[in-house]
Amino acid sequence: MKRVLPFLFIGFFFAGYAQKKLPKTDLKVGLVLSGGGAKGFAHIGAIKVLEEAGVRIDYIGGTSMGAIVGALYAAGYNANQLDSIITHTDFTNILQDKLPRSSKSFYQKENDEKYVITLPIKGKSIGLPSAISKGQNVFNLFSRLTEHVHDIQDFNNLPIPFLCIATDLETGKPVVLNHGFLPEVIRASGSFPTLLEPVEIDGKLLADGGIANNFPVQEVINMGADVIIGIDVQNKLKTKEQLNSAPKIVMQIINFNMYSENESKKKLVDVYIHPKMKGFNVVSFDKAAEIIKAGEVEALKELPYLKSIAKQQSNKLKLIRGVTIYPKKRKIRIKEIEVEGLKEYSKEYLIRNLDIKVGDSITFNSFKKGVERLSATDNFKTINYKFIPEEGGNKIIIEVEESLLNSTFSIGGHYDNLFKTGVILNYKTKGLFLKNDVLSTDFVLGDNVRYLINYYVDNGFYWNFGFRTRYVNIKDNITILGGSFQNDNIVSESEKIPLNYNDFTTQFYAQTTFGQKFITGLGLEHKYLRAFNEPTINGETRKIFYENEGYFNAYFYLKLDTYDAKYYPKKGVGLSATYRAYLTSSVNPFSSFTQLDGTLGFAKTFKKYTFQFITEAGATIGNNKNPVLDYHLGGVAQNLINTFRPFYGYDIADLNENGFLKSTFILRKEIFKENYLSFIANYARIDNDLFNRGNLFQNTKSGYAISYGINSFLGPIELVYAWSPDTSANYWYLNFGFWF
């Protein structure tokens, strides 16, 4: 490494110095930032020292994370602002392309939150995704941070001239990117293989620049730099003892070319800063503050040389105040909307999902929420946009690439005390008969075989139509009140029997949604219920039916869901109400009756404590002579059907009657990330006369529970201990995986 120490002898050709002649007046300084994933946060610490030394940066070149940090610095952010941005950004969620639940449709909230892995179906075979993330959240972040330079296409016109490197996946050669749309360009430079999907720019499919050129020194020299300051966060190649996993071996192969060229590039650098990265890797995003500090510590060792460089710059560094970060509530007036790339979908469909129109004044965050809704449809592979300031407002240019993926295969797993072990297999396809239809088929294999087939025509916020059919099987010791309707087999009150409960339901429905939060609909259904046990009497096994009947019903429902998460919500409101009329039956005589039931709840978080309240009620109107259609309370299962409801402190269907009132109080603490300790109390009245002439608390049943849960990528893992002072009974429950 050659350091800049002959500045006192400018004009004299120092023998061992660079082959270029230093100017007598103003040194042009180029900054080169290597790639390295999260290790690239060290660049920010080093830049803090450059600012402290008074060095004026005239050119910047970077690769991958070096390109991201370099682009933001070139766009006008100072080191302290970069520090704040990095340390306040959840890169894990961004890189996983997680969308807020509010962006998902009601269909997705009800049907898609139960799978662990989703794979594309390409042709007639199941494939693998090209990367973990499409990179839409990454683009959204970069677009927000560079909004003030959206109108700059030539990066030489940025506050600091800038370039970055990407790799052409067809040729393996480096591509210099010094023009275009800045968020898209740095997104391409940082598209680490398998983590982020590659980006197509000017007909080239581009991926992480570190594959081809991780330290673009010569490119910055070519920009006109006299002095090069290089910040390199690359580690050394691993030893054979360290190569003990497939990912490490793959990374070693990728790094061969990178490290072999590094030594020759270091000879072109005047000030070489190599922060100590031991203990950090490319995904150490949770250690951002430590990594930034490591860059600062190493750069301080070069402080005398950096100050000597600053002295040779005639135009002294102005105090770097950074760009003015737009306030979150700043309004952007839409003057014009231009859309490019649409083929199958209309401009009206796109704008309706974005919820914008010409003349609106919107915030960037409200626009981003529209992009998230559009992304959640899975109809678009990429959604790029830019805000171009014009007189009287902003022109929004939206460029999309429609998704060619129509079919997926998903899988998930679950265990609980009621349904036991189950594996869910899902096949979903779009555009089977209509451009906007969805066919989803769930099959559950395990101790209780089940299926759900749903065909749905999505017309957005207009009326939507659908058809679904399901089969659910429950086998457990269940209390049945009353007697059978065949064979005159009477079961005494509160007697538990091993019951096989089967539900075959087919529905035709129409529904409409409002703002992804509220849905209302109506439909017709046929419900065939069978409930029987198979005792052995005098050596003979008999099938005794307590229900074997088909019902033709009409129903109406409405739902509101603003919860931020399906499991362990921290905020939001939930409301559901169903009115079902049992019109006729396959068994006569039959008296029609109706049932009205609903749930209302909310969650609110104070620091790490969440309070959740849920109240439920169900009432039978008319003469229901079938005890199987009573409301059955007990257990902790969350995917119960028909008139079954969970109730802590009692086992499944221990409480049975024509009506019920129930309230549940949950106090939950996140003891550390995604680990929750919950205290639960629930109270209920189970009676045909719900209001009991105003004595609502008379004969109230109570139950309590303590649970420890982990919100894992496999779904919630929860251990529950429940008890009731009414009976002195206690139960242990284990739930593993998404409920389905």
Side-chain angles (χ1 to χ4, degrees):
M1 178 187 74
K2 299 187 299 300
R3 295 172 173 171
V4 186
L5 49 88
F7 289 158
L8 298 176
F9 308 101
I10 289 180
F12 177 77
F13 291 92
F14 189 76
Y17 196 65
Q19 296 178 359
K20 55 181 179 290
K21 180 179 179 180
L22 295 178
K24 294 181 179 180
T25 53
D26 190 24
L27 286 180
K28 300 292 186 182
V29 175
L31 178 64
V32 180
L33 306 176
S34 78
K39 294 181 295 180
F41 296 159
H43 297 317
I44 298 170
I47 291 172
K48 286 184 180 181
V49 177
L50 298 185
E51 291 182 356
E52 179 184 342
V55 175
R56 186 194 72 233
I57 302 301
D58 299 285
Y59 308 102
I60 300 177
T63 296
S64 194
M65 185 59 79
I68 295 166
V69 173
L72 295 178
Y73 196 66
Y77 290 95
N78 62 34
N80 286 330
Q81 288 177 319
L82 293 179
D83 187 325
S84 179
I85 290 168
I86 294 299
T87 54
H88 289 87
T89 299
D90 188 341
F91 282 94
T92 301
N93 279 343
I94 287 176
L95 289 172
Q96 290 176 346
D97 243 5
K98 285 187 176 181
L99 293 171
R101 194 166 183 264
S102 59
S103 69
K104 298 179 181 179
S105 67
F106 252 91
Y107 176 89
Q108 292 170 315
K109 291 176 182 177
E110 291 186 335
N111 295 281
D112 291 356
E113 296 180 333
K114 53 191 176 184
Y115 311 116
V116 177
I117 299 173
T118 297
L119 300 173
I121 296 179
K122 302 175 180 178
K124 296 182 179 180
S125 61
I126 299 174
L128 292 173
S130 57
I132 295 174
S133 169
K134 293 191 301 183
Q136 186 63 53
N137 282 352
V138 173
F139 176 86
N140 290 342
L141 174 65
F142 294 164
S143 181
R144 171 71 179 89
L145 294 173
T146 62
E147 182 190 341
H148 59 291
V149 292
H150 275 194
D151 57 336
I152 296 178
Q153 294 291 305
D154 184 346
F155 299 160
N156 287 317
N157 295 328
L158 290 170
I160 302 175
F162 168 78
L163 64 77
C164 64
I165 305 296
T167 300
D168 187 332
L169 283 180
E170 288 187 298
T171 65
K173 295 181 179 180
V175 177
V176 177
L177 299 171
N178 53 17
H179 65 278
F181 186 41
L182 189 60
E184 184 179 39
V185 163
I186 57 177
R187 156 81 173 81
S189 181
S191 292
F192 191 82
T194 73
L195 181 60
L196 288 171
E197 286 190 355
V199 178
E200 184 173 340
I201 298 178
D202 296 334
K204 296 179 180 179
L205 192 62
L206 304 179
D208 195 289
I211 301 170
N213 183 356
N214 201 47
F215 202 40
V217 178
Q218 187 60 56
E219 287 74 11
V220 176
I221 292 174
N222 295 343
M223 294 175 77
D226 304 306
V227 175
I228 297 294
I229 299 173
I231 306 172
D232 184 8
V233 297
Q234 300 173 89
N235 288 330
K236 296 180 180 179
L237 290 170
K238 296 185 182 300
T239 65
K240 62 181 180 181
E241 290 78 16
Q242 295 172 314
L243 296 171
N244 51 16
S245 69
K248 289 181 180 179
I249 293 173
V250 171
M251 282 301 303
Q252 184 88 336
I253 295 171
I254 293 174
N255 290 338
F256 284 153
N257 180 62
M258 185 187 304
Y259 293 147
S260 64
E261 295 183 353
N262 197 45
E263 290 303 317
S264 62
K265 292 179 180 179
K266 284 163 59 176
K267 295 178 181 178
L268 301 174
V269 174
D270 300 294
V271 180
Y272 180 73
I273 300 172
H274 190 197
K276 291 180 172 58
M277 291 289 101
K278 185 177 181 180
F280 306 120
N281 57 50
V282 294
V283 292
S284 296
F285 298 109
D286 57 332
K287 299 179 180 179
E290 299 171 55
I291 297 173
I292 291 171
K293 186 64 178 179
E296 187 175 357
V297 168
E298 199 64 27
L300 282 171
K301 297 177 182 179
E302 305 292 341
L303 189 58
Y305 296 97
L306 297 173
K307 287 183 176 180
S308 67
I309 292 174
K311 289 179 181 179
Q312 297 301 314
Q313 294 183 296
S314 60
N315 296 323
K316 299 301 181 183
L317 176 73
K318 297 178 182 178
L319 281 176
I320 300 179
R321 297 180 180 177
V323 300
T324 300
I325 300 176
Y326 294 133
K328 291 183 178 180
K329 295 183 179 180
R330 182 181 70 94
K331 296 287 187 177
I332 303 169
R333 187 178 185 278
I334 303 176
K335 181 182 178 182
E336 183 182 351
I337 302 172
E338 182 179 311
V339 180
E340 301 173 359
L342 289 174
K343 296 178 182 177
E344 296 294 326
Y345 297 93
S346 67
K347 181 178 179 180
E348 289 72 21
Y349 171 83
L350 184 142
I351 291 177
R352 188 169 67 242
N353 276 278
L354 291 174
D355 194 21
I356 60 173
K357 61 180 182 292
V358 173
D360 281 352
S361 291
I362 62 171
T363 65
F364 187 92
N365 280 342
S366 66
F367 180 80
K368 182 171 75 73
K369 288 179 181 179
V371 173
E372 290 168 343
R373 284 193 300 271
L374 196 62
S375 182
T377 65
D378 291 327
N379 293 328
F380 300 93
K381 185 178 180 180
T382 60
I383 307 166
N384 292 346
Y385 50 88
K386 63 181 73 172
F387 297 87
I388 307 299
E390 295 182 350
E391 185 178 351
N394 282 262
K395 177 181 180 180
I396 300 180
I397 301 176
I398 305 168
E399 184 178 349
V400 299
E401 180 183 354
E402 295 178 353
S403 175
L404 299 177
L405 178 64
N406 288 326
S407 303
T408 59
F409 172 78
S410 302
I411 187 170
H414 181 81
Y415 171 83
D416 69 87
N417 297 66
L418 177 62
F419 288 97
K420 308 303 180 185
T421 302
V423 175
I424 187 169
L425 308 175
N426 172 266
Y427 168 76
K428 184 167 70 174
T429 187
K430 297 185 299 183
L432 185 64
F433 302 111
L434 302 171
K435 182 172 60 177
N436 53 339
D437 69 7
V438 177
L439 173 66
S440 176
T441 59
D442 283 336
F443 292 96
V444 179
L445 306 178
D447 293 304
N448 289 274
V449 175
R450 290 164 277 160
Y451 68 74
L452 171 64
I453 301 173
N454 196 345
Y455 176 77
Y456 178 61
V457 179
D458 184 3
N459 292 317
F461 296 142
Y462 301 114
W463 279 97
N464 307 298
F465 304 91
F467 157 84
R468 57 178 163 247
T469 180
R470 77 176 183 208
Y471 166 68
V472 177
N473 180 35
I474 299 175
K475 298 176 184 177
D476 204 88
N477 290 327
I478 297 178
T479 302
I480 294 292
L481 297 180
S484 110
F485 303 104
Q486 294 182 2
N487 306 327
D488 295 325
N489 293 289
I490 304 299
V491 179
S492 63
E493 184 172 323
S494 300
E495 179 182 346
K496 278 181 174 290
I497 62 171
L499 195 70
N500 193 322
Y501 179 94
N502 298 272
D503 171 278
F504 299 85
T505 297
T506 300
Q507 298 176 324
F508 294 88
Y509 60 93
Q511 63 186 30
T512 185
T513 60
F514 302 90
Q516 308 283 81
K517 298 177 182 179
F518 184 80
I519 187 171
T520 182
L522 49 84
L524 298 173
E525 73 175 4
H526 176 262
K527 187 179 292 292
Y528 172 43
L529 301 178
R530 294 198 315 164
F532 62 89
N533 77 328
E534 299 180 277
T536 300
I537 302 174
N538 298 325
E540 180 183 356
T541 300
R542 299 176 57 193
K543 183 176 289 188
I544 300 177
F545 282 90
Y546 301 96
E547 171 70 302
N548 190 15
E549 195 166 350
Y551 300 90
F552 294 92
N553 311 324
Y555 64 97
F556 169 83
Y557 58 91
L558 58 86
K559 298 177 184 179
L560 172 70
D561 186 350
T562 67
Y563 284 126
D564 63 335
K566 184 174 183 178
Y567 306 100
Y568 310 112
K570 295 183 178 179
K571 62 180 180 179
V573 176
L575 166 69
S576 67
T578 302
Y579 179 80
R580 176 173 278 102
Y582 288 81
L583 301 176
T584 184
S585 166
S586 60
V587 176
N588 290 312
F590 174 79
S591 297
S592 61
F593 64 94
T594 61
Q595 287 183 325
L596 174 64
D597 50 65
T599 302
L600 173 65
F602 71 88
K604 180 70 175 178
T605 297
F606 307 90
K607 294 185 178 180
K608 289 192 175 183
Y609 289 92
T610 299
F611 174 72
Q612 189 173 1
F613 172 73
I614 305 167
T615 184
E616 299 177 66
T620 301
I621 304 167
N623 187 14
N624 171 27
K625 297 180 180 180
N626 186 346
V628 174
L629 295 178
D630 284 349
Y631 290 99
H632 312 292
L633 274 65
V636 301
Q638 301 299 305
N639 59 334
L640 293 173
I641 60 167
N642 296 333
T643 51
F644 287 87
R645 299 292 185 273
F647 189 75
Y648 294 91
Y650 287 79
D651 203 4
I652 182 171
D654 274 356
L655 303 172
N656 305 272
E657 191 48 87
N658 267 329
F660 77 97
L661 284 172
K662 186 181 78 160
S663 293
T664 304
F665 303 85
I666 303 172
L667 181 62
R668 183 167 53 243
K669 181 182 180 182
E670 186 173 12
I671 52 179
F672 47 93
K673 190 173 178 61
E674 301 295 357
N675 284 251
Y676 301 91
L677 184 64
S678 302
F679 300 90
I680 305 164
N682 55 190
Y683 307 93
R685 284 197 71 252
I686 318 294
D687 202 312
N688 190 36
D689 180 9
L690 288 182
F691 299 102
N692 195 27
R693 298 179 180 178
N695 298 317
L696 292 178
F697 301 103
Q698 188 178 46
N699 195 28
T700 297
K701 307 298 183 182
S702 61
Y704 304 89
I706 299 175
S707 79
Y708 182 82
I710 303 172
N711 196 19
S712 74
F713 75 97
L714 297 171
I717 302 171
E718 190 172 32
L719 181 64
V720 181
Y721 174 69
W723 74 94
S724 173
D726 305 336
T727 63
S728 300
N730 58 83
Y731 305 92
W732 284 97
Y733 298 98
L734 174 64
N735 308 314
F736 187 101
F738 296 109
W739 288 95
F740 49 74

